[in-house]
Amino acid sequence: LVPVLADVADRQRMEMLLRLHGITVLLHAAAYKHVPLVEANVCAGLANNIFGTRSALDAAIACGLKRFTLISTDKAVRPTNVMGASKRVCELLVQDAAARVEEQGSGPICSMVRFGNVLGSSGSVVPLFREQIKNGGPITLTHVDITRYFMTIPEAAQLVIQAGAMGTGGDVFVLDMGQPVRIHDLASRMVEMSGLRLKTADQPEGDIEITITGLRPGEKLYEELLIGHNPKPTQHARIMKANEEYLAWPQLQERLESLRMAMSVNDVPLIRNFLSQLVQGYESSGEVVDWVYQAQEREK
């Protein structure tokens, strides 16, 4: 295990590291994944997520790697936020790279694995709820009916590695996440497992209260794992293969350059418009909450 600090968007640095360490398989998980934070920092989010992925892909191809696996997210499916849209663009980049590798007859097998939330990971609600319970509450929840898919860290890690090994090029693997979990039920269960009682209108003498704070910018009530329909089974019972459309490189490159130009002047409404042209199902609706853009508008 060799820990190295580097910027994934620095292609020259990426190529040097891949060659120096004799890397053959690249698992690309470097992304800003916090929905409200990316919504408020659009250009930084896109620079890291989209152009970081392009840099990593180009480096993998240039260095003759055997496999490249993108770690994607259920938020890439019909996204309502910039983070999810950016991850779908990352998927498009991988799908296009796979098509070009196949055309050239050489290069890494490029695939991606799409799944939901990982219990206990950084940003997971479980550590947050645990801390809030420890402090006597309240537990903060954005909506009473919000649901999410969950799996454990070992499950996710094992399935990602197995899916990546099954890739033949351009595969969109989807992990079986089971049934979505209602977050309110998860919070209630955690209170009970702590030996405490939930404080409600019916039980005012309870210990921990759940407070509803309202959906945050770009947040969805529920997530999906498939854009299309009829996923195909694989040799692994918990790994499916989706059949998703993608853009050919000339069209994708043209739209990415338009996106980069809009990013250079931090024109967030235009950026969101270009993203909606790139990503099926993404609608650039809602107030712009990007902090830099808001400061620019105040200055005007």
Side-chain angles (χ1 to χ4, degrees), residues 37 67 76 152 156 165-166 171 176 189 219 223 229-230 232 239 276 280 293:
L37 197 56
R67 290 183 182 272
T152 65
M166 287 194 293
D171 314 88
D176 179 5
R189 183 73 179 131
E219 193 171 31
E223 302 292 355
H229 300 283
N230 303 318
K232 298 177 182 176
I239 301 174
S276 67
Q280 178 185 343
Y293 179 79

Side-chain angles (χ1 to χ4, degrees), residues 58-275:
D58 289 345
I61 293 169
C63 294
L65 267 60
K66 292 182 180 179
R67 290 183 182 272
F68 178 101
T69 304
L70 170 74
I71 308 302
S72 193
T73 169
D74 53 0
K75 292 176 176 63
V77 178
R78 281 177 280 275
T80 56
N81 52 70
V82 173
M83 192 285 284
S86 76
K87 291 296 286 183
R88 177 55 189 152
V89 177
C90 294
E91 292 184 350
L92 292 173
L93 284 166
V94 175
Q95 289 174 287
D96 169 73
R100 285 188 286 145
V101 164
E102 184 179 9
E103 194 176 288
Q104 294 164 7
S106 65
I109 294 172
C110 299
S111 59
M112 67 215 76
V113 186
R114 187 189 290 160
F115 57 101
N117 299 275
V118 179
L119 283 167
S121 64
S122 174
S124 168
V125 294
V126 172
L128 172 64
F129 288 172
R130 191 180 293 126
E131 184 68 20
Q132 289 176 334
I133 292 169
K134 180 183 173 184
N135 294 334
I139 291 177
T140 54
L141 192 63
T142 57
H143 195 286
V144 70
D145 292 323
I146 198 165
T147 64
R148 289 292 182 266
Y149 288 102
F150 287 101
M151 63 170 41
T152 65
I153 291 174
E155 280 180 310
Q158 290 169 17
L159 290 174
V160 161
I161 292 169
Q162 289 169 309
M166 287 194 293
T168 56
D171 314 88
V172 183
F173 292 110
V174 180
L175 303 187
D176 179 5
M177 302 288 296
Q179 294 300 312
V181 176
R182 187 167 174 256
I183 306 301
H184 191 281
D185 295 341
L186 174 65
S188 302
R189 183 73 179 131
M190 285 185 66
V191 171
E192 293 169 7
M193 289 174 67
S194 301
L196 302 169
R197 291 179 302 165
L198 199 63
K199 185 177 181 180
T200 64
D202 296 332
Q203 297 184 106
E205 73 286 352
D207 305 295
I208 304 291
E209 186 178 9
I210 295 178
T211 301
I212 305 300
T213 59
L215 289 174
R216 298 171 296 180
E219 193 171 31
K220 294 170 76 172
L221 270 182
Y222 63 94
E223 302 292 355
E224 304 167 88
L225 286 165
L226 294 170
I227 298 173
H229 300 283
N230 303 318
K232 298 177 182 176
T234 67
Q235 58 263 45
H236 195 295
R238 295 195 59 193
I239 301 174
M240 300 171 290
K241 191 186 288 190
N243 182 25
E244 312 285 32
E245 296 179 356
Y246 69 95
L247 293 171
W249 177 242
Q251 193 177 13
L252 181 58
Q253 185 180 34
E254 181 183 335
R255 293 183 183 182
L256 284 175
E257 285 310 308
S258 298
L259 183 63
R260 193 193 286 275
M261 287 178 63
M263 287 168 60
S264 69
V265 293
N266 205 71
D267 189 336
V268 176
L270 186 58
I271 290 169
R272 298 204 307 184
N273 183 48
F274 284 140
L275 279 176

